[in-house]
Amino acid sequence: MVSVPVPVPVSVPASVPASVPVSVPVSVAVLVELVRSGTAGGHVKCWERFAESAARLPGPGSGGAGGAGLDLTVYFLGRRGRERVEPLSPRVRFVMLPPVLSTAALTSSDGAEDISDLAPWHPRLAALLPRHDVWHLTHCFAYAATAVRLARRGAVRPRVVGSVHTDVPALASVYARYLAGRATGGLLGDRGAQWAADRVGTWLRWRRDRLLRSCERVLVPTPEGCEELSRTLGADRMALLRRGIDHERFRPDGTARARLAREYGVPVDRPLVLFAGRLDASKRVPLLAESLRLVRERGRSVHTVMAGLGRRRAPCGGLWV
């Protein structure tokens, strides 16, 4: 068992006057129920960038914007049967916990789906969570279920917040359709597989909303998402998730187009459309394909580069890398 370095609650001696500030860092646990890897998607990368920024914050007593300080632990899923801690600074770390009921065995042949944990309870996470003051949910599987169940028991009283990074019900619906077809050898047909997919999507939307009801505040990446969830949770609890852009990683590169032409044969005499992400219906790949078809029907010549894995390599006429 690996010891997770989180702050121990500080007791203030009776001799210290109440007016004297005591620097006690706020301990935050972020629950990312996905495997952290080099090919992980935006959900994982978002929290990696947030953690890197947190590691640069001034500590307690520095007089900077950090105030009393932030102690941040981002929990990811581990791939193997061991717990691992990766420190970014004395007060920021990643913790990888082995899943209880991994979905790894259910992934498709191209492995485009994210691996998660379907267990209703994660014992190790339940043992670690009471050490933190704030619990931040980002998904709706084992980690979130464990946190909500633990908070409802009332033995600990954390501040529970959440954020929505992926339309999990839509993704699960796409995935369930694939699994239904694979499990029955196509016997269900398109209508039967779609019926199963719709049921899974509906159930997961209900489950997601139920877990988010335990949150004091929920961050959503789009105004449309805010509007949808505000009907269930109330507009007063909703806010936009502002993820920002790292201008060191994402910046104009005048040599990129020539490199694409040289390495991949991408033509330079027409507009280029880039798609980066999972190639399935949850990422609106069919909508992209249809949009490009309409553009071409109107006499505009475009080329498409699609970077990612997935079952829906839509006929966009582009190049997959």
Side-chain angles (χ1 to χ4, degrees):
M1 191 69 68
V2 177
S3 175
V4 179
V6 294
V8 177
V10 177
S11 59
V12 181
S15 58
V16 178
S19 59
V20 177
V22 178
S23 294
V24 180
V26 176
S27 177
V28 178
V30 177
L31 311 182
V32 183
E33 309 185 47
L34 298 170
V35 174
R36 180 171 169 260
S37 69
T39 58
H43 186 163
V44 169
K45 297 303 180 185
C46 172
W47 285 107
E48 286 181 338
R49 303 292 86 79
F50 282 163
E52 290 169 1
S53 297
R56 295 192 293 267
L57 287 175
S62 64
L70 170 72
D71 190 282
L72 176 65
T73 303
V74 184
Y75 290 94
F76 293 102
L77 288 182
R79 284 189 178 275
R80 298 177 178 85
R82 65 187 183 91
E83 188 174 317
R84 187 165 64 88
V85 179
E86 181 180 325
L88 274 68
S89 78
R91 295 189 180 277
V92 179
R93 67 204 61 83
F94 297 139
V95 175
M96 278 62 72
L97 300 178
V100 176
L101 185 59
S102 173
T103 62
L106 301 176
T107 55
S108 57
S109 57
D110 58 25
E113 300 87 4
D114 294 318
I115 296 172
S116 194
D117 188 347
L118 299 180
W121 179 255
H122 196 293
R124 177 56 176 157
L125 180 67
L128 294 170
L129 278 177
R131 306 180 185 185
H132 302 285
D133 307 308
V134 179
W135 303 352
H136 187 121
L137 318 184
T138 74
H139 230 298
C140 55
F141 294 118
Y143 283 7
T146 299
V148 169
R149 184 174 165 187
L150 197 61
R152 287 175 178 167
R153 286 180 177 177
V156 290
R157 297 189 178 277
R159 307 297 296 271
V160 182
V161 296
S163 56
V164 177
H165 297 253
T166 302
D167 190 344
V168 173
L171 175 59
S173 180
V174 171
Y175 190 31
R177 182 179 177 124
Y178 157 75
L179 286 177
R182 188 178 78 170
T184 63
L187 293 178
L188 279 179
D190 288 343
R191 292 183 63 180
Q194 189 58 53
W195 179 88
D198 291 344
R199 299 289 79 74
V200 169
T202 299
W203 176 76
L204 265 177
R205 200 167 297 279
W206 171 85
R207 176 181 173 83
R208 179 201 66 185
D209 295 352
R210 177 175 172 269
L211 292 170
L212 289 178
R213 285 192 188 97
S214 299
C215 298
E216 299 178 31
R217 195 79 165 170
V218 178
L219 304 175
V220 184
T222 65
E224 294 79 11
C226 279
E227 183 179 352
E228 176 196 346
L229 281 172
S230 66
R231 293 193 289 268
T232 303
L233 306 177
D236 58 317
R237 285 200 274 172
M238 309 304 302
L240 281 175
L241 172 62
R242 303 181 185 277
R243 287 171 283 197
I245 296 176
D246 184 341
H247 292 282
E248 292 298 317
R249 285 185 170 88
F250 300 99
R251 64 188 188 280
D253 183 354
T255 67
R257 191 64 185 268
R259 188 165 65 252
L260 283 173
R262 183 174 63 253
E263 297 181 9
Y264 297 103
V266 174
V268 297
D269 60 347
R270 66 199 67 180
L272 182 63
V273 176
L274 170 66
F275 175 93
R278 188 175 51 250
L279 297 167
D280 63 33
S282 73
K283 296 297 185 181
R284 308 296 189 263
V285 170
L287 176 61
L288 173 61
E290 178 63 12
S291 300
L292 290 169
R293 184 186 67 80
L294 293 174
V295 168
R296 287 178 173 175
E297 282 184 356
R298 294 173 184 176
R300 299 294 300 275
S301 179
V302 297
H303 192 86
T304 313
V305 172
M306 308 191 77
L309 297 173
R311 300 184 62 249
R312 292 298 298 268
R313 291 199 168 194
C316 296
L319 172 75
W320 285 270
V321 295

